[in-house]
Amino acid sequence: MENKDNIGAGNQPNQPNQPNQPNGPNLSNQRPNGKRRFNFMWIYAILFAVLIGLQFFGRDSATPQEEIDQGKFIELLKQEEVGKIELVNREDAEIYLNKKGLSVYFPDVSANADGFTVSPNYTYKIGSLDRFEEMVENAQEGIANPVYISNVRRNNWMGSILEWVIPLALLAVFYIILMRSMGRSMGGGAGSIFNIGKSRAQLYDKNTNVNVTFKDVAGLEEAKVEIMEVVDFLKNPEKYTKLGGKIPKGVLLVGPPGTGKTLLAKSVAGEANVPFFSLSGSDFVEMFVGVGASRVRDLFNNAKSKAPCIIFIDEIDAIGRARGKSAITGGNDERESTLNQLLTEMDGFGTNSGVIVLAATNRADILDKALLRAGRFDRQIYVELPDIVGRKEIFEVHMRGLKLAADVDKEFLAKQTPGFSGADIANVCNEAALMAARKGKEEIDKQDFLDAVDRIIGGLEKKNKIISADEKKVIAFHEAGHATTSWLLQYAHPLVKVTIVPRGNSLGAAWYLPEERQITTKEQMYHEIIATLGGRAAEQVVFGQISTGALSDLEKVTKQAFAMVTYYGLDDEIGNLSFYDSTGQQDYSFQKPYSEKTAETIDKQVSKLVEKAYQEAIDILTEHRDGLTQLATKLIEEEVIFGEDLERIFGKRPWGNSEDEKLKNAALKEAEEATESQLDNQTENA
Ligand code: ADP
């Protein structure tokens, strides 16, 4: 488990071999600690000096300008010692003493020809202009030659300069910091502005330890064979080109999330021993226009210089989504140009250039057709959810490092985990280990695994969720309703387990063993709908009233019924029409591909279908009310019941899959033997 997680780690910033990091000494460290920086320091110093200088030399420092208060000012006026009052900018009064005043207060200062000093002798801060004028007038009452106030407008150029200089200086500082950080990262670091157009691919090569091999990928036999071939193309291209064959340029891995696509690609890197560029589709996208395309170019340039090699693009749908007609959202342009660039690059390199592009997606249906055409991603490998055999093998892989108790049975666990992906199973194993550790156990036993499965399906048990006895009864009958209907319907999935222990945000759950089938008949879908409605029907039959507890059931049923009518052409009235759009373009359009009248028919048919199914569920449960009650009672007592309990109450299912069962068991056995020898072969081949 652990080593897998390490490999799974995405971009590690400090990888020794980042492709976009030029080898060689780091430029920023190399720059002598000097010239440039020194220059800037000088600029700061000069600016500072100028400011300080202005502060000092801008004024006449010959006479000190003492600020006086009102009392002193009035006194000066009264004693006729003031020669001139200048009101500067209506804010400050500058007071010049006359000869008399000068002789009293500044006996050593000599006046100019006009009788005043060059600069004012005192300043006075005025409050309100009116009151100041009034005060000057009052103070000089009765004086023969009063002094009048003269108004002076003076530009406060210091202030104005500062107003300009400070923002400019700030801008300059900002600019300098930006330039510096750019300069510093010239040598590397994906985050810098010079590297924005560089690809963010993570390079795995012989210096990087990729210790995932095919042994770590369980199941997926066909996928492995195909991928193996890719490895072989890279290693022995002549073998194929000798005969005139062309080596595929791209391989697309398609499948639901968590089925091991990334793992498979990583294992190729481990097996092939060629450099392996790994990145995700979203790595191309940035908020700057044109960056994506430039990253694609850069990636392919890097790859070509390291050929033979593999480029792996995870989640390619991030850029490869069909270029649409969706003119509404202009934001697609960037993605489209990225995709165009990718298409161009894939066309641009020869089949023998030794670069193979692997890509993974879980939505191949929405990918652009141009991307899928031959000559680009010529091959598509489907990576499906594992079947019972696959699950067992995945359990084996992930149990390798665990301390297991003797009672852990992989086959049983594989049976208990229908629909689980590889990632889910990896999670079950880890969760089981954690649970065992929490309980202080020495070994992980079967119960830990079962608890882990429950937890992953339903979320954490909510032991202290308060549920009244009445509610519990409703829940029990609801779940028993699902169990009963599904048990008694030929095509519904047989039940594995029902519980009324609240988990996550559900109050109870029933899970089934889905038949692993590739196509579903109308009858099968219909029976599933009946079983899903069985919960609500049981409430109706037993209590005569229905509750809100069936929300998710109804949601599921509605979707399924809609799909039957509009997608699969399973409705008589609508006929063999399907309004499904595999290109995904319809998602963007506001128009429905059918008329209003058809829309009405669809609504009518869907509702008819669901109502009919509901009625059928009610009929079944009314008929088997005894069994239903027994089951619900047991459920209330024990909280969990299994398929065996149902068998005891209702008897064996007449359509038991005994033949299937036998086949399955045989397959399990066979696979077990085959895997070991196959794995050995494969590793030898590699
Ligand atoms: P995706 O298909 O979404 O790329 P990943 O390859 O990332 O899925 O799988 C996630 C994890 O699930 C893996 O790291 C691995 O632990 C586990 N896993 C998935 N499929 C398998 C498998 N076939 N065998 C072993 N482990 C698997």
Side-chain angles (χ1 to χ4, degrees):
M1 293 285 307
E2 254 118 336
N3 63 0
K4 216 137 298 127
D5 288 346
N6 286 341
I7 298 143
N11 291 338
Q12 291 156 8
N14 293 328
Q15 278 294 332
N17 267 291
Q18 280 206 335
N20 47 15
Q21 192 156 6
N23 294 334
N26 186 337
L27 293 175
S28 63
N29 288 348
Q30 207 189 22
R31 191 168 54 222
N33 187 18
K35 271 215 159 164
R36 238 174 119 187
R37 181 173 282 188
F38 197 59
N39 275 341
F40 281 117
M41 289 318 287
W42 266 113
I43 290 178
Y44 295 146
I46 290 169
L47 260 175
F48 193 65
V50 167
L51 286 178
I52 297 282
L54 286 175
Q55 201 74 29
F56 280 113
F57 298 111
R59 292 170 184 230
D60 187 348
S61 52
T63 42
Q65 293 162 349
E66 192 191 335
E67 196 178 316
I68 52 171
D69 60 13
Q70 193 175 0
K72 170 107 190 224
F73 188 28
I74 294 176
E75 188 192 320
L76 287 174
L77 285 170
K78 285 214 163 120
Q79 292 176 359
E80 294 182 71
E81 285 164 349
V82 176
K84 189 164 77 171
I85 303 172
E86 280 185 350
L87 188 59
V88 181
N89 294 347
R90 318 184 114 219
E91 282 171 357
D92 294 308
E94 292 186 348
I95 300 154
Y96 293 81
L97 296 180
N98 57 17
K99 281 216 180 86
K100 181 181 167 207
L102 279 176
S103 66
V104 176
Y105 297 100
F106 301 98
D108 347 323
V109 176
S110 53
N112 280 352
D114 57 0
F116 307 114
T117 45
V118 182
S119 56
N121 306 102
Y122 295 113
T123 58
Y124 174 73
K125 280 237 168 335
I126 66 167
S128 119
L129 199 59
D130 293 343
R131 296 215 13 225
F132 176 69
E133 280 165 353
E134 205 180 300
M135 177 192 84
V136 172
E137 219 169 281
N138 291 344
Q140 302 186 90
E141 225 171 49
I143 292 176
N145 293 318
V147 184
Y148 296 106
I149 302 167
S150 54
N151 273 305
V152 180
R153 265 209 97 66
R154 203 178 286 159
N155 271 339
N156 182 5
W157 54 273
M158 250 326 276
S160 337
I161 286 183
L162 281 184
E163 254 168 44
W164 279 95
V165 165
I166 287 179
L168 272 180
L170 280 177
L171 267 180
V173 169
F174 179 69
Y175 176 73
I176 289 160
I177 291 173
L178 192 74
M179 287 308 285
R180 281 224 184 128
S181 69
M182 270 161 71
R184 200 169 300 139
S185 46
M186 288 263 279
S192 85
I193 218 141
F194 286 145
N195 277 343
I196 200 123
K198 294 269 168 67
S199 98
R200 304 226 161 146
Q202 174 90 29
L203 175 64
Y204 297 90
D205 60 9
K206 49 190 178 308
N207 303 326
T208 342
N209 233 351
V210 180
N211 38 7
V212 190
T213 62
F214 281 160
K215 278 218 167 98
D216 298 302
V217 188
L220 307 178
E221 297 310 329
E222 301 84 4
K224 272 193 218 164
V225 171
E226 291 223 30
I227 284 275
M228 214 44 226
E229 211 176 30
V230 172
V231 175
D232 205 38
F233 287 146
L234 288 173
K235 287 184 156 174
N236 316 305
E238 317 81 47
K239 186 168 138 195
Y240 301 89
T241 48
K242 192 168 70 188
L243 302 177
K246 286 197 186 106
I247 288 170
K249 289 178 182 173
V251 177
L252 189 65
L253 298 166
V254 185
T259 43
K261 300 181 293 292
T262 315
L263 192 69
L264 201 59
K266 287 243 168 77
S267 71
V268 173
E271 295 279 339
N273 265 328
V274 295
F276 180 83
F277 292 89
S278 166
L279 78 169
S280 158
S282 58
D283 286 344
F284 289 113
V285 191
E286 188 82 49
M287 61 177 186
F288 302 112
V289 174
V291 168
S294 130
R295 284 187 182 160
V296 173
R297 269 193 300 275
D298 188 58
L299 172 68
F300 277 81
N301 282 341
N302 280 337
K304 274 182 226 163
S305 70
K306 294 242 178 196
C309 69
I310 293 173
I311 297 176
F312 175 58
I313 307 175
D314 208 351
E315 318 290 355
I316 197 173
D317 41 315
I319 49 166
R321 195 180 262 267
R323 287 164 295 180
K325 311 158 201 156
S326 57
I328 326 159
T329 50
N332 281 338
D333 289 353
E334 169 62 1
R335 214 198 45 206
E336 285 191 6
S337 66
T338 310
L339 175 58
N340 283 336
Q341 187 63 39
L342 184 66
L343 296 177
T344 320
E345 289 290 343
M346 287 193 76
D347 276 343
F349 66 84
T351 46
N352 49 4
S353 69
V355 180
I356 290 187
V357 184
L358 287 183
T361 178
N362 42 35
R363 305 239 16 218
D365 52 334
I366 59 163
L367 289 186
D368 200 278
K369 290 284 168 286
L371 200 56
L372 299 178
R373 80 141 164 78
R376 281 158 188 159
F377 287 102
D378 331 60
R379 294 196 169 194
Q380 295 191 17
I381 300 180
Y382 287 91
V383 183
E384 301 285 346
L385 282 178
D387 57 8
I388 186 163
V389 181
R391 288 198 298 273
K392 183 170 170 238
E393 288 173 9
I394 298 175
F395 267 113
E396 262 155 30
V397 167
H398 289 281
M399 282 176 178
R400 260 184 228 153
L402 304 181
K403 266 197 174 168
L404 299 177
D407 66 350
V408 176
D409 178 1
K410 289 160 202 151
E411 207 168 303
F412 172 75
L413 286 174
K415 275 190 191 151
Q416 292 295 316
T417 48
F420 273 43
S421 69
D424 291 330
I425 293 177
N427 200 3
V428 167
C429 292
N430 192 41
E431 203 58 58
L434 296 183
M435 281 191 179
R438 199 178 304 148
K439 291 177 199 154
K441 292 186 189 168
E442 289 295 309
E443 289 174 325
I444 313 166
D445 58 28
K446 182 174 163 185
Q447 196 52 46
D448 296 320
F449 277 98
L450 289 179
D451 289 347
V453 170
D454 287 358
R455 175 170 179 173
I456 281 164
I457 293 178
L460 206 56
E461 253 184 50
K462 295 233 170 100
K463 288 217 175 73
N464 44 9
K465 195 168 201 155
I466 296 165
I467 294 179
S468 68
D470 281 347
E471 270 174 343
K472 198 166 169 182
K473 204 169 154 196
V474 174
I475 298 166
F477 270 97
H478 183 105
E479 297 305 332
H482 286 308
T484 309
T485 39
S486 64
W487 192 261
L488 295 172
L489 284 164
Q490 177 169 5
Y491 297 113
H493 299 307
L495 183 108
V496 176
K497 181 175 170 182
V498 193
T499 138
I500 53 165
V501 179
R503 275 174 194 281
N505 52 13
S506 76
L507 297 172
W511 47 98
Y512 308 90
L513 183 64
E515 266 178 75
E516 275 149 24
R517 58 190 174 209
Q518 305 307 317
I519 47 173
T520 311
T521 63
K522 184 175 172 181
E523 196 89 49
Q524 284 165 341
M525 285 188 103
Y526 184 58
H527 280 189
E528 274 163 35
I529 292 181
I530 299 176
T532 315
L533 288 168
R536 167 160 278 199
E539 290 177 38
Q540 173 71 44
V541 169
V542 177
F543 305 105
Q545 61 181 10
I546 49 181
S547 71
T548 56
L551 174 64
S552 65
D553 293 343
L554 297 184
E555 186 189 347
K556 194 172 139 201
V557 162
T558 312
K559 278 193 185 141
Q560 204 161 6
F562 252 105
M564 280 177 78
V565 176
T566 57
Y567 294 161
Y568 299 118
L570 295 179
D571 183 71
D572 296 337
E573 206 150 311
I574 297 292
N576 298 325
L577 294 180
S578 171
F579 302 109
Y580 183 67
D581 177 29
S582 62
T583 62
Q585 306 233 333
Q586 223 180 64
D587 294 355
Y588 295 120
S589 91
F590 294 115
Q591 276 173 343
K592 295 200 171 68
Y594 40 78
S595 69
E596 284 303 319
K597 191 151 166 273
T598 314
E600 266 172 37
T601 320
I602 291 174
D603 290 341
K604 196 182 81 208
Q605 290 303 95
V606 168
S607 126
K608 211 164 97 184
L609 181 73
V610 175
E611 281 321 304
K612 194 170 146 226
Y614 184 60
Q615 198 48 51
E616 205 150 320
I618 290 205
D619 292 347
I620 294 174
L621 293 174
T622 320
E623 189 185 334
H624 295 272
R625 196 172 161 156
D626 285 348
L628 176 72
T629 317
Q630 276 180 48
L631 201 61
T633 320
K634 198 166 169 60
L635 202 48
I636 293 171
E637 279 163 17
E638 297 181 10
E639 299 205 324
V640 185
I641 51 172
F642 293 90
E644 298 86 70
D645 299 306
L646 274 130
E647 205 169 297
R648 225 170 294 130
I649 293 171
F650 296 106
K652 242 188 165 19
R653 290 181 94 203
W655 334 270
N657 303 332
S658 53
E659 274 309 302
D660 288 2
E661 240 7 37
K662 263 186 228 153
L663 280 176
K664 232 176 243 171
N665 286 340
L668 269 172
K669 284 251 149 52
E670 211 173 282
E672 206 167 305
E673 288 152 17
T675 339
E676 264 130 51
S677 60
Q678 229 168 12
L679 272 179
D680 291 343
N681 281 344
Q682 270 164 0
T683 28
E684 270 162 35
N685 287 343

